[in-house]
Amino acid sequence: MVARSIIVGCGTCLPARVVTNHDLAREVETTDEWIVERTGIRERRIAAPGETTSDLALAAGRAALDDAGMTAHDVDFLILATTTPDDTFPATAAKVQGRLGMTRGAAFDVQAVCTGFIYALAIADNFLRAGQARTALVIGAETFSRIVDWSDRATCVLFGDGAGAVMLARGEGKGTVADRGVLSTHLHSDGSQYDILRTDGGPSSTRGTGLVRMAGREVFRQAVQRQAEVVDEVLACHGLAASDIDWLVPHQANRRIIEATGRKLGLPAEKVVVTIERHANTSAASIPLALCEAVADGRIRRGQLVLVEAMGGGITWGAGLVRM
Ligand code: UT7
């Protein structure tokens, strides 16, 4: 038998305020038509003044714990993927841990921008499989609205705020793709591409936090290429065909990128979970938000094979194969 990290609970949290493309068109030189045609986004949620990443992470984490029928005392590791921490330090995960009332275990943040949830899932899975933890609460949470340049129409229309979480528990399997749990994770980065998607500031480099700067076309090109590569890597790793995948849950950056990856896999559109229309790009939160929505509405069911994949700043990219 081999150890497996099984998803036993899911939770999400979205800020209440909806900002539509029409709302944005009143602030910057853009149109609903342009945004929908180029990205697939129609609206996004934006955190209220004073509403922080930890607020969203806490609510999503609590929902995942409730869904698993567990409490904070059952959590060994709390891993939070975020690019928009409440403060420069301590880790926002520590704040969530404190607010959950967890007095044991370990909590830390993971920073891999839009690939953050996959990185956090991989770290948690390895700790569980190594026997160093029995459970892990893995959260992706962001308030990208705080670091967007609201005068830059090329980026401000793309992002939204939110959080999603999964509770993992150590189980056992036979070491085959029929096992429930995380079957593999695949992480990559290429730091030579650091500049194509970044903020123009940070604690060590310059003044303040900095705002999002992106070479959109180049990021788009690399996103399509890297995500196609990593999807192939997952299939080859397990000797699977694309038709063996029940659901693709991609990072939600651009509908055209999502469709390109779906086409590459030969998956019909109904097998691809798409939330970008309503959530926009929520960075590290986008995959757990999409995954948990599709679990909650009954699309993704126990026993099905789910492929998650993402690309983001760094650049980072990665994928995971999970049998629910
Ligand atoms: O999550 C991490 C990964 N992120 C991504 O994967 C994002 C990747 N990039 C993209 O999704 C796309 O590159 C964008 C959606 C950001 C842009 O789409 P595009 O088709 O690459 O447009 P573009 O940047 O080449 O701009 C085309 C035109 C430009 O005008 P000119 O120079 O052709 O006259 C832009 O100024 O569209 C203009 N434009 C806009 N027009 C109306 C750029 N933003 C806007 C806007 N509204 N919001």
Side-chain angles (χ1 to χ4, degrees), residues 30 34 38-39 114 153-154 216-217 219 251 253-254 256-257 281:
T30 191
W34 191 95
R38 301 291 179 117
T39 72
C114 300
R153 68 175 184 176
R217 278 189 199 173
V219 174
H251 170 51
N254 186 315
R256 290 181 290 145
I257 299 174
N281 181 348

Side-chain angles (χ1 to χ4, degrees), residues 274-287:
V274 181
T275 56
I276 190 159
E277 229 180 80
R278 289 170 292 110
H279 298 169
N281 181 348
T282 57
S283 184
S286 93
I287 290 175

Side-chain angles (χ1 to χ4, degrees), residues 17-275:
R17 184 172 160 224
V18 175
V19 173
T20 66
N21 293 346
H22 297 289
D23 295 331
L24 288 180
R26 286 192 280 275
E27 307 295 326
V28 287
E29 189 65 35
T30 191
T31 60
D32 177 55
E33 292 72 29
W34 191 95
I35 302 171
V36 172
E37 191 194 310
R38 301 291 179 117
T39 72
I41 299 165
R42 290 183 187 277
E43 60 185 44
R44 71 284 293 142
R45 300 296 184 100
I46 300 293
E51 191 174 28
T52 60
T53 293
S54 67
D55 292 324
L56 304 178
L58 179 69
R62 277 200 177 123
L65 279 173
D66 286 349
D67 189 40
M70 292 180 167
T71 72
H73 303 293
D74 297 314
V75 181
D76 289 344
F77 272 44
L78 191 164
I79 307 179
L80 173 60
T82 189
T83 306
T84 46
D86 287 15
D87 299 304
T88 301
F89 80 88
T92 301
K95 199 188 245 183
V96 176
Q97 182 191 28
R99 292 176 69 187
L100 272 176
M102 260 175 83
T103 50
R104 51 175 286 280
F108 55 92
D109 288 357
V110 169
Q111 158 62 295
V113 204
C114 300
T115 320
F117 180 77
I118 304 229
Y119 271 61
L121 185 73
I123 293 165
D125 177 46
N126 278 290
F127 274 117
L128 262 64
R129 285 194 291 114
Q132 276 185 266
R134 291 168 302 114
T135 63
L137 182 56
V138 181
I139 308 173
E142 301 276 18
T143 47
F144 244 70
S145 62
R146 306 291 196 246
I147 58 166
V148 157
D149 178 350
W150 286 102
S151 67
D152 176 15
R153 68 175 184 176
T155 51
C156 76
V157 302
L158 303 175
F159 296 96
D161 302 333
V166 297
M167 185 66 190
L168 295 178
R170 195 164 186 267
E172 282 189 333
K174 293 181 174 153
T176 73
V177 287
D179 293 347
R180 276 190 80 202
V182 178
L183 299 175
S184 66
T185 52
H186 308 256
L187 304 185
H188 297 279
S189 63
D190 176 1
S192 73
Q193 303 300 306
Y194 187 90
D195 285 338
I196 66 171
L197 177 50
R198 57 190 280 268
T199 58
D200 57 5
S204 165
S205 64
T206 49
R207 64 281 132 184
T209 309
L211 298 174
V212 174
R213 305 294 172 212
M214 178 169 75
R217 278 189 199 173
E218 182 56 18
V219 174
F220 187 98
R221 193 184 68 76
Q222 297 220 21
V224 171
Q225 184 189 329
R226 298 307 194 182
Q227 290 177 155
E229 279 169 17
V230 80
V231 158
D232 278 345
E233 183 184 327
V234 174
L235 296 178
C237 170
H238 297 279
L240 292 172
S243 54
D244 295 319
I245 304 297
D246 292 306
W247 292 98
L248 175 68
V249 183
H251 170 51
Q252 311 280 317
N254 186 315
R255 181 183 273 279
R256 290 181 290 145
I257 299 174
I258 294 170
E259 286 171 354
T261 313
R263 269 199 306 276
K264 158 97 187 149
L265 269 173
L267 278 184
E270 313 84 73
K271 294 284 182 190
V272 184
V273 180
V274 181
T275 56

